[in-house]
Amino acid sequence: MTEIEKEEVRLRLQHHYSEVLSLLGENPEREGLLKTPLRVAKAMQFLTKGYNEDPEAILRSAMFEEDYQQMVIVKDIDFFSMCEHHMLPFFGKAHVGYIPNRHITGLSKLPRVVDVFARRLQVQERLTTQIKECIQKTLDPLGVIVVIEAQHMCMQMRGVEKQNSLTTTSDFTGAFEESTTREEFLNLIGRRR
Ligand SMILES: [Zn+2]
C-alpha cells in the first residue's frame, strides 16, 4: 500500500470512528475526543500492518546454507495481536523451534515472522499454524514447532471474566511428531508437559 492509499484509508477510518463515538453516546466534538478518531485510525492501521508484509520474504532475506542439524530455538517472543471475533487484544509469548535441513535463517527473523502474523486479526490457533507453515515452506527444515501462550482480553474483560487464564496452542511438523523431540523442545523452553 502506498503512503497516499494509507492516508486515504486513514481518513475513512477516522470518519467511521467519529460515528462510533456518537453511537456510543459520546460527543466527538468535545475537546478530549477531538483527535481520538485520528489516533484510533492510526493505531488500528499499525495493529493490522501485517496484512501488507510478506513473512516468507523476511525469512528468505537472511537465509544461509549451513550443515547444523540440531534444534534451533527462539523462546519468549513477546507478541501482541487482536482476536478477530471481538477486535480486542490477545498477547503473550511465542516459542519457535526448528531443526535445519541445510538452511538456517537469521535468528532475528523468527520474531519478525511472529510479528507479521500477529499484526492481523487472528485467532490464536491460526496464528500458531501460520507461523509454523511459513517456516516449513520457506526453510524446508526437518521439523518445526510453535508454542503460543496468551491471555485474551475478550475473555478477561467481558463474558466469562477468567482473569488469569492462559491459553496454550501448539503445532508442529516432521521431527517434532516424535514425542521425545517435542519433549526436548519443551524442556529447553522451560515448559514440561
Ligand atoms: Zn475474542
Side-chain angles (χ1 to χ4, degrees):
M1 203 188 276
T2 67
E3 282 307 309
I4 293 168
E5 284 167 337
K6 239 165 123 178
E7 182 68 31
E8 278 171 14
V9 170
R10 184 175 307 147
L11 282 168
R12 290 179 63 189
L13 283 170
Q14 200 178 328
H15 167 78
H16 287 293
Y17 280 120
S18 176
E19 180 70 15
V20 167
L21 285 175
S22 301
L23 289 170
L24 293 176
E26 261 295 354
N27 168 17
E29 304 298 320
R30 75 176 171 83
E31 203 188 354
L33 291 178
L34 274 180
K35 287 189 171 171
T36 298
L38 172 63
R39 289 193 200 97
V40 178
K42 281 184 179 171
M44 291 305 284
Q45 281 185 308
F46 177 79
L47 295 173
T48 57
K49 71 189 170 81
Y51 289 119
N52 300 309
E53 294 170 334
D54 179 353
E56 290 177 23
I58 289 170
L59 285 184
R60 277 195 302 267
S61 72
M63 224 168 114
F64 313 101
E65 228 163 287
E66 193 59 63
D67 278 335
Y68 184 80
Q69 282 203 342
Q70 299 303 316
M71 213 178 279
V72 178
I73 295 175
V74 180
K75 64 172 187 173
D76 295 329
I77 302 168
D78 289 309
F79 76 90
F80 296 87
S81 190
M82 274 193 305
C83 87
E84 67 183 18
H85 301 132
H86 306 92
M87 291 178 73
L88 287 170
F90 71 94
F91 57 90
K93 291 188 187 302
H95 314 285
V96 177
Y98 73 101
I99 300 172
N101 175 23
R102 297 203 329 276
H103 290 103
I104 58 167
T105 187
L107 290 178
S108 67
K109 303 302 173 190
L110 296 172
R112 286 197 56 204
V113 166
V114 171
D115 226 36
V116 168
F117 287 115
R119 297 292 190 203
R120 300 176 182 185
L121 298 183
Q122 281 287 6
V123 296
Q124 186 177 332
E125 294 87 341
R126 191 174 65 233
L127 175 62
T128 309
T129 298
Q130 285 180 333
I131 296 164
K132 177 208 76 174
E133 278 173 359
C134 175
I135 296 167
Q136 181 63 47
K137 188 175 165 209
T138 311
L139 297 180
D140 190 29
L142 299 177
V144 54
I145 186 165
V146 178
V147 173
I148 293 181
E149 301 166 305
Q151 305 183 53
H152 291 250
M153 287 301 110
C154 64
M155 276 176 76
Q156 299 191 358
M157 294 175 71
R158 54 170 284 289
V160 287
E161 291 187 25
K162 291 274 178 259
Q163 300 293 334
N164 292 304
S165 68
L166 210 58
T167 305
T168 303
T169 48
S170 66
D171 201 357
F172 47 82
T173 67
F176 289 98
E177 276 160 36
E178 206 71 55
S179 67
T180 50
T181 314
R182 253 187 347 263
E183 269 161 34
E184 187 188 338
F185 172 81
L186 293 170
N187 277 334
L188 288 167
I189 66 168
R191 309 286 186 290
R192 286 210 80 150
R193 286 247 159 118

